[in-house]
Amino acid sequence: MNEKRVPFHYNVGVRSPDFEEARAFINTHIDDREVSPLSRGGKTENLLTLQPLGESALFGAMWSEKVHIQSDTQTTFHAVLVLSGSICCKSLGADIPANSVVLIAPGQQADLVWEKGTRAVVISLARQTLIDTLGVPDLEFLRQSNALIPADHQDAQLLRNGITCLAQQHEICHGRISPAVQRHWEGLLLSQFANQLHRSELENPSILPGRIRLVTEWILAHIREPMSVCDLLRVTGASRRSLESGFRTYLNTTPAKFILCHKLKGVRHLLRTEPDIKIGDAAFLYGFNHLSHFTRQYQEAFGELPSETLRQHRESRVVVSKKAQPYSA
């Protein structure tokens, strides 16, 4: 990634000093935002670019002036990776320096002051696709998950490396990344964010109380094993009523549905990462013994058949393999 260039420059959305034009472009693609310049230094252009990734999207941005960006309550999940310069996140009361990431959860407001000339990538994750990846019924548990990931944190470093690779592929393809490869990149980004969000969910006592945190950690650690609600009661020492009440209150689901969601998510991960695996074998590894029943549950959870998930990954692998072949005259 060129250190002085805004990523994804083949797909320019706005190149103009007009802040109203920039605001209209942003509000066409993500939640409504107010864009208020805080300085006036001339006619330097604002630059906004776009790289679709399946149902999600990445935006490259550089503002010609110091600018305040405020949103209404968000319905989707956003992250901002600062490439150079700095951004002040007013809701966290923190400056976001270069190579750091700020996470802005659904139900929260974006309230950011960009310093003049700051370059960043804004990541907008598709709501339903994130729900599918996390294996939860909704994003309610993320409402308090605004966070700063510092530049020296592993997750920030991995995210920057991923964005750099994607920007390079954008360059090579002149911005025309195929839909199959877009879905592949979207899955990689979602998986990275899922790791961060699950850590927030399972480690932050303000989000999950001790017994619920204990049982969710136990479920994830033993997800390939047969398990029942009775097993969870033995792990926690809780009554069935209190356990089910805790799951409804903090995760908006039941223990049985939580287990099912994560087992289905485990199968989906195998189908997306192991192109030679058979659907029946993947399902069996997570305790699904009746293929027709599993197929119906999978389609209800993810909106597609397991065979479609497997085919999409195989297609994306073929596309990447073809692009990787050296040119010979």
Side-chain angles (χ1 to χ4, degrees):
M1 182 162 49
N2 188 309
E3 290 301 318
K4 295 183 179 179
R5 177 178 282 174
V6 174
F8 321 125
H9 67 101
Y10 280 104
N11 296 338
V12 173
V14 171
R15 182 181 278 125
S16 167
D18 187 338
F19 284 88
E20 184 59 29
E21 183 180 345
R23 188 188 70 82
F25 172 77
I26 292 172
N27 293 347
T28 298
H29 293 89
I30 53 180
D31 294 319
D32 284 354
R33 278 156 166 67
E34 291 298 325
V35 178
S36 307
L38 301 179
S39 63
R40 293 288 185 184
K43 296 183 177 296
T44 309
E45 293 178 326
N46 302 310
L47 179 58
L48 302 176
T49 63
L50 168 65
Q51 175 57 63
L53 281 189
E55 298 299 319
S56 301
L58 274 67
F59 302 85
M62 183 170 67
W63 296 97
S64 63
E65 302 295 336
K66 185 175 183 177
V67 63
H68 186 195
I69 300 178
Q70 265 185 309
S71 76
D72 293 330
T73 301
Q74 293 191 158
T75 60
T76 54
F77 181 91
H78 292 83
V80 181
L81 168 64
V82 179
L83 301 177
S84 66
S86 69
I87 295 173
C88 175
C89 180
K90 299 184 75 174
S91 60
L92 291 175
D95 289 327
I96 316 302
N99 300 322
S100 301
V101 182
V102 61
L103 309 179
I104 306 172
Q108 299 292 314
Q109 293 178 297
D111 193 357
L112 306 172
V113 175
W114 294 52
E115 293 298 327
K116 179 178 179 178
T118 293
R119 295 183 311 118
V121 173
V122 179
I123 302 161
S124 177
L125 299 179
R127 182 181 180 85
Q128 187 58 50
T129 310
L130 182 58
I131 288 172
D132 294 344
T133 301
L134 292 172
V136 294
D138 57 41
L139 299 180
E140 183 69 21
F141 77 94
L142 294 179
R143 294 182 72 87
Q144 302 300 323
S145 296
N146 285 12
L148 164 64
I149 308 176
D152 59 356
H153 193 285
Q154 173 181 292
D155 285 341
Q157 295 170 4
L158 289 172
L159 180 61
R160 180 175 171 81
N161 287 343
I163 297 298
T164 299
C165 291
L166 178 58
Q168 290 172 344
Q169 187 162 6
H170 175 96
E171 292 266 352
I172 293 168
C173 299
H174 291 192
R176 296 187 292 272
I177 299 178
S178 73
V181 177
Q182 286 184 32
R183 289 193 295 269
H184 177 69
W185 277 108
E186 181 183 35
L188 290 175
L189 277 180
L190 285 163
S191 296
Q192 181 59 41
F193 279 110
N195 291 338
Q196 176 68 31
L197 295 174
H198 274 310
R199 270 197 290 276
S200 297
E201 173 194 355
L202 299 180
E203 292 178 4
N204 189 336
S206 69
I207 296 173
L208 290 181
R211 280 185 173 176
I212 303 300
R213 185 171 69 252
L214 170 65
V215 76
T216 52
E217 288 175 343
W218 187 88
I219 289 171
L220 296 177
H222 299 82
I223 195 62
R224 289 195 179 186
E225 301 172 14
M227 65 179 73
S228 67
V229 175
C230 291
D231 295 320
L232 308 186
L233 300 180
R234 284 194 292 272
V235 169
T236 61
S239 68
R240 180 183 292 266
R241 182 175 179 178
S242 66
L243 185 66
E244 292 184 345
S245 175
F247 268 76
R248 283 195 301 272
T249 299
Y250 294 97
L251 296 172
N252 197 30
T253 189
T254 66
K257 288 181 179 179
F258 185 90
I259 293 169
L260 176 61
C261 278
H262 283 277
K263 283 183 175 291
L264 290 169
K265 178 188 169 187
V267 177
R268 186 173 176 82
H269 177 73
L270 285 179
L271 297 180
R272 284 177 158 178
T273 57
E274 303 290 339
D276 297 323
I277 198 167
K278 295 180 180 178
I279 293 172
D281 292 342
F284 183 75
L285 283 172
Y286 282 87
F288 297 101
N289 297 316
H290 302 287
L291 193 57
S292 60
H293 188 48
F294 157 75
T295 300
R296 178 179 59 78
Q297 292 175 317
Y298 188 98
Q299 187 173 27
E300 289 176 354
F302 303 117
E304 63 184 22
L305 295 169
S307 57
E308 294 174 308
T309 303
L310 191 60
R311 185 182 69 250
Q312 288 170 8
H313 177 61
R314 287 173 175 169
E315 288 174 353
S316 67
R317 188 177 66 157
V318 169
V319 171
V320 171
S321 297
K322 286 182 177 178
K323 288 185 180 295
Q325 291 176 1
Y327 173 77
S328 58

